[in-house]
Amino acid sequence: MITYEKKEIFYFLIGFWLILGVECYSSGSYNLTVKTGGSVTIPCYYDGKYTHQKKYWFSEADKSSTYTNTTEENLSVIDHPDQNLFTVTMRNLQSTKHDGRYYCAVKVEGNVTVTYGLYLQVQSAPNVSVVSSSVSGHEGGDISVQCFYSSGYKNEVKQWCRYKDQSCYTVGRTNTSQNSSVQISDDGRGSFTVLMTGLRLTDSGWYYCSAGEALNPVQLTVNEAEPGTVSDKVNETGILNDNNETEDTVATQNNELLTVWLPALAALLLLLILISVFTWRWRRRHKQDKHQIRRRTSSITTDVIYSKAEDPEMYSIINYENPNDPNKDITYSTIDNFPVREAEKPPAGGAIYSIIYSTVAPH
């Protein structure tokens, strides 16, 4: 049964390829180099109409085929119908065993459709390699991929390509499309860097670094943005995440907020200033009034005393302070007769009623 399967696939490939031709979605010749003892995952895209058809990985070297959803020790072929692709993972690669041409194929009513083909070569120093074959980022964020190439590929065209539609971005050019902005820079010393900014969920998928015909696959995963992260920024197309709000709309809302709050804040500030000035003036006026009342009250005082009748009338002026000191008030006192009414006469004993005037002379 296994022999029959191998022969069937082999004859289908040869017959349809050379005589009738085979429906093929890939173009060009791709050379995938992997380090000895290493592993690689290869994506095989197919048309959505083949979702329910049999898919398999075919090796031209030993004419073997491995259908999807098969897992072996050093080989796994897993279908992802929601992404219209199946992946092939090869592990512990050895040059004598695994070098050769491989195909991603779909079997439809006895016919074979090759969706992708490549030549795999295992060697100690790969022509093109990457630090990690899987990178991830958040929506609205950035990712950077460093691709290495051997000296023999220094003058080859360096590209970052997407497997799904074979769209490529070339070193020295900046491409801003409906997806993210892609920039590629070559240091000329054996590596070039791919920078993708303003990531979108639709950027998720498989890509590859290439120098000439040599390539190496990279899987990019873009996760949904976390609340409050850079994903709230507007991307190059003017779309704000999933809200479909344009940059102009956001600017208008900000202007409206400023128009409402700025006058309110200005009015509040003016009110506080007026209250402060009024309070200051009121306190100052109150202090002045108290000072003036105190001066008027202390300027003239009258003391009523009694003296004996036999005491002679006396008139004197008493200076209580040094008049030469300009910092001191001068107080004068005068003793004089004070005419009294009958009701105010002193008690029996012959005393007379006198007063003392005290005057504080101003400086």
Side-chain angles (χ1 to χ4, degrees), residues 154-216:
K154 181 178 181 179
N155 298 322
E156 297 289 346
V157 176
K158 317 302 188 306
Q159 291 184 317
W160 172 255
C161 302
R162 186 166 186 165
Y163 271 102
K164 186 174 183 179
D165 54 13
Q166 294 298 308
S167 58
C168 295
Y169 308 92
T170 307
V171 166
R173 300 176 185 175
T174 299
N175 185 294
T176 301
S177 63
Q178 62 179 356
N179 295 319
S180 58
S181 176
V182 180
Q183 297 179 350
I184 307 177
S185 57
D186 185 6
D187 64 6
R189 298 188 301 273
S191 72
F192 64 94
T193 303
V194 179
L195 176 63
M196 297 182 68
T197 59
L199 292 173
R200 294 172 59 81
L201 295 177
T202 53
D203 290 328
S204 294
W206 284 88
Y207 297 77
Y208 60 83
C209 299
S210 68
E213 79 283 358
L215 59 84
N216 201 293

Side-chain angles (χ1 to χ4, degrees), residues 40-230:
V40 66
T41 298
I42 303 163
C44 297
Y45 280 89
Y46 54 80
D47 194 287
K49 63 184 178 182
Y50 299 138
T51 300
H52 302 291
Q53 307 301 324
K54 287 186 175 182
K55 302 101 181 172
Y56 56 88
W57 175 248
F58 179 77
S59 171
E60 190 178 82
D62 57 8
K63 308 300 184 292
S64 64
S65 61
T66 304
Y67 285 91
T68 54
N69 300 325
T70 298
T71 300
E72 300 176 356
E73 182 180 358
N74 293 321
L75 178 64
S76 298
V77 182
I78 307 299
D79 192 13
H80 305 275
D82 57 324
Q83 303 177 42
N84 290 338
L85 66 86
F86 65 92
T87 56
V88 180
T89 301
M90 303 177 70
R91 295 174 286 271
N92 192 24
L93 293 169
Q94 305 297 324
S95 60
T96 56
K97 181 179 180 180
H98 298 107
D99 284 355
R101 187 167 293 278
Y102 295 83
Y103 301 97
C104 303
V106 179
K107 189 174 181 181
V108 184
E109 297 179 355
N111 296 326
V112 176
T113 298
V114 175
T115 61
Y116 184 69
L118 59 85
Y119 185 84
L120 176 62
Q121 186 175 4
V122 182
Q123 55 191 40
S124 58
N127 295 329
V128 174
S129 61
V130 293
V131 175
S132 176
S133 59
S134 178
V135 295
S136 62
H138 284 90
E139 184 182 11
D142 309 333
I143 61 100
S144 178
V145 179
Q146 189 172 16
C147 307
F148 300 92
Y149 56 87
S150 61
S151 57
Y153 289 80
K154 181 178 181 179
N155 298 322
E156 297 289 346
V157 176
K158 317 302 188 306
Q159 291 184 317
W160 172 255
C161 302
R162 186 166 186 165
Y163 271 102
K164 186 174 183 179
D165 54 13
Q166 294 298 308
S167 58
C168 295
Y169 308 92
T170 307
V171 166
R173 300 176 185 175
T174 299
N175 185 294
T176 301
S177 63
Q178 62 179 356
N179 295 319
S180 58
S181 176
V182 180
Q183 297 179 350
I184 307 177
S185 57
D186 185 6
D187 64 6
R189 298 188 301 273
S191 72
F192 64 94
T193 303
V194 179
L195 176 63
M196 297 182 68
T197 59
L199 292 173
R200 294 172 59 81
L201 295 177
T202 53
D203 290 328
S204 294
W206 284 88
Y207 297 77
Y208 60 83
C209 299
S210 68
E213 79 283 358
L215 59 84
N216 201 293
V218 177
Q219 183 182 24
L220 169 61
T221 302
V222 180
N223 301 307
E224 290 187 0
E226 297 176 355
T229 61
V230 295

Side-chain angles (χ1 to χ4, degrees), residues 246-257:
T246 63
E247 194 172 34
D248 293 337
T249 302
V250 177
T252 301
Q253 292 176 349
N254 291 336
N255 290 335
E256 290 177 354
L257 290 176

